[in-house]
Amino acid sequence: MAHEAFDAGEARYELVVSVDARRSGQYNDAEKPRMRQRIYRVLESALAQAGVVRDAVHMEDRGDGVLMSVPGRIAVSRLLGLWMVEVHENLREENGSLLVPLGLRVAMHVGPVRHDSRGISGRAVDLTCRLADSSVARELLDRERADLVLAVSDSLYADVVQAGGKFIDPARFAPARLALKEGAVTAWFHLPGRPAPDTGALGPEEPGDGGVAGTGGVAAGVSAGAGGAAVSPADPSPEAVDGGDPDSEGHEDDEDGDASVRYAAQGDLSVHQHNVYQQPVHIGRVTGAGPRKD
């Protein structure tokens, strides 16, 4: 057949690309149309430069970004490699004349996509949008003062990125564990033109709010309990650890400061290890109006 006939019930495996602008809410009504023009100019020029026919790519406007799907006949490696290089170069050129540079968060994933008269849908679309909106992507863009951050799903990294290729260097990607509403996933992050980012320096947040935990951060799912002590939802027992044996059953030896150790407490909890105090110190809180004893 000369045309691609399909119905809304058919799912086709496609590359899904989500593009979001950094801090789009800070643009006023007069600035937003110009921001949107720049985004489309950057993306569409990069398609032409990468040899991808614009009409072959589905594009949906998202106000402060663009949602795209690319059919399987176009190599994913071309979008991951050459297209991303051109997007980065075009964005740098646009930002050369701006006092406030435009920042983009781009995410990619391959999965089943359903098309209808209003656009695309499916879990692959949901995951891609979550990756672009994740706190790791946001924090990397700000912390590294970058123009562009790319996030790819774990499956896309394993299937395409890890093999390398033209303009694709797996050594420049770093993993991070994300606690999404649908569950925990691993994603890989890349800052074009730079070494692999330090995702381990990013702190954890609560699941369900696009929260994340970098690979070197505190274990996800730890929240503040009564009195400010860290309490794990997986171990809600009320026994206080204060004064207990650190090697007792249910608690791991924290000799090397292992961040996986969990404490449950009702009230105040203070943990000190391998400290040498040279001066009088006070540990714990002071109540009442009386004088403090060091």
Side-chain angles (χ1 to χ4, degrees):
M1 298 178 64
H3 63 286
E4 296 182 36
F6 60 90
D7 60 47
E10 289 181 317
R12 302 182 297 174
Y13 271 77
E14 297 185 337
L15 172 68
V16 183
V17 182
S18 177
V19 181
D20 283 340
R22 170 174 48 198
R23 294 196 184 90
S24 59
Q26 295 184 4
Y27 290 84
N28 61 38
D29 287 351
E31 295 168 337
K32 280 191 175 180
R34 292 193 288 271
M35 174 198 74
R36 287 160 47 81
Q37 289 173 3
R38 292 187 186 101
I39 293 175
Y40 277 99
R41 190 158 55 236
V42 165
L43 300 180
E44 292 180 336
S45 295
L47 287 175
Q49 292 157 347
V52 178
V53 178
R54 167 63 183 86
D55 291 343
V57 178
H58 170 82
M59 299 184 75
E60 288 182 30
D61 184 74
R62 290 300 177 99
D64 59 351
V66 179
L67 179 64
M68 304 166 53
S69 66
V70 183
R73 68 176 183 272
I74 299 174
V76 173
S77 57
R78 178 168 296 195
L79 276 296
L80 267 170
L82 182 56
W83 183 70
M84 282 304 304
V85 169
E86 297 295 352
V87 168
H88 185 222
E89 289 302 315
N90 292 344
L91 185 58
R92 290 178 59 192
E93 186 175 344
E94 288 282 343
N95 284 339
S97 60
L98 300 178
L99 291 177
V100 180
L102 173 64
L104 295 180
R105 303 186 307 274
V106 180
M108 295 186 185
H109 173 57
V110 172
V113 177
R114 285 178 166 82
H115 291 253
D116 58 32
S117 60
R118 299 183 183 274
I120 60 175
S121 63
R123 297 174 74 175
V125 176
D126 295 342
L127 174 59
T128 309
C129 293
R130 296 264 195 260
L131 298 184
D133 195 44
S134 68
S135 294
V136 167
R138 293 173 178 274
E139 291 180 34
L140 281 177
L141 205 60
D142 289 341
R143 189 190 71 188
E144 303 298 330
R145 298 182 180 180
D147 297 312
L148 178 67
V149 60
L150 170 65
V152 302
S153 65
D154 193 42
S155 59
L156 183 55
Y157 178 86
D159 293 342
V160 181
V161 176
Q162 199 165 32
K166 192 172 184 178
F167 304 116
I168 301 176
D169 183 359
R172 293 177 180 263
F173 286 73
R177 194 70 175 163
L178 310 183
L180 306 182
K181 292 181 180 179
E182 295 82 359
V185 302
T186 296
W188 294 77
F189 294 85
H190 170 58
L191 299 170
R194 304 192 188 191
D198 180 11
T199 54
L202 303 174
E205 294 182 6
E206 286 298 312
D209 297 321
V212 300
T215 53
V218 180
V222 176
S223 57
V231 180
S232 168
D235 182 15
S237 64
E239 292 96 36
V241 181
D242 246 340
D245 180 4
D247 294 325
S248 62
E249 184 177 354
H251 300 283
E252 298 174 22
D253 185 0
D254 194 26
E255 210 171 286
D256 298 321
D258 184 8
S260 67
V261 174
R262 296 179 177 181
Y263 301 96
Q266 297 226 358
D268 297 325
L269 174 65
S270 180
V271 179
H272 304 265
Q273 294 180 327
H274 315 305
N275 296 301
V276 177
Y277 301 105
Q278 304 293 344
Q279 297 292 332
V281 296
H282 172 80
I283 299 174
R285 104 182 141 174
V286 177
T287 60
R292 190 181 77 181
K293 295 181 179 179
D294 290 329

